[in-house]
Amino acid sequence: SPTLTQNIDIPENNFLSGVTKLEVDAFLSCDGYNDENCDDYDRTARLFVCETDGSSCSEIVRWITPFDRQPWWRTDITSFISLLRPGGEKMFKFQISGWPNNIVQITLRFFQEGTPDNSPHEIYNLWSGDQFNENYNDNFEPLVFEVPENAQKVEFVSYITGHGFACNTGNCAEFCNQSHMYEINGGVGEFSQAFPEAGATTYCMEPDRIEAGVIPNQWGTWGYGRSGWCPGLDVDPFVQEITELVEFGEENIINYEACWIPY
């Protein structure tokens, strides 16, 4: 996968503590800034923030490129402000699974509007993805995490998208619905995410999807519903508040499992 890296200086923590919203602007050009030179297929693109030596990388944005179009995205990543603390130099790494040009323009937008209540201060990395097949759940053991006693708000945040075929379970990770289920502290709290629109023939071309950012009049099968994404649309992070489900200053446990939902 083509990878671009850049070290940049992030404002110090006294500035970040006043940030109420964080967005990322991204534009991917095609050769000559011409749609005719764009890729015929959707590609997954990701932005990571890392330590300056390239270690401890965390994904903060995920995009899916359109068919034969140049994408422009603006994505709210307020939940990931804590990864920029306490400021100073950070490495940003952009990866994409194939694209006919290596020019990408990315801008961080910091907003200081209103009162920065409950601004994210710390993040715990849980699981990373794997191929969705009959052994998928074997890769995700229950995890223990602690919440500081002085915390005011706790959120679960994830990016989940299904791609490709040949994964045994339904043979349709891209066009099949899956249910992703989470359990906090042995059933004290439960929540889930599913994609019933996957496989629908017109979902991604519906007016509300165009309004959300899908580029209209693409080529190929751009209009079909997918598992958590549409061609040319940024992926909104799945955010679930779990403040009332956890014990502050104590150990907590979270379980995760997924299942394929046949048509």
Side-chain angles (χ1 to χ4, degrees), residues 1 9 29 34 41 46 53 58 70 73 80 93 107 142 149 192 213 258-259:
S1 300
D9 287 321
S29 66
N34 189 338
Y41 301 97
R46 294 179 172 92
D53 61 359
S58 296
Q70 299 176 96
W73 301 289
F80 297 101
K93 180 167 63 176
T107 304
E149 290 186 355
S192 63
C259 67

Side-chain angles (χ1 to χ4, degrees), residues 11-23 81 85 109-116 119:
E12 298 299 326
N13 206 39
N14 58 351
F15 173 85
L16 294 175
S17 295
V19 173
T20 57
K21 186 177 183 180
L22 174 61
E23 292 183 340
I81 291 176
R85 298 182 187 274
R109 296 186 180 274
F110 298 91
F111 296 83
Q112 292 184 321
E113 301 171 344
T115 303
S119 177

Side-chain angles (χ1 to χ4, degrees), residues 117-133:
D117 295 331
N118 301 325
S119 177
H121 279 265
E122 195 168 357
I123 192 166
Y124 294 89
N125 290 318
L126 298 174
W127 305 280
S128 58
D130 209 326
Q131 186 181 39
F132 190 71
N133 56 34

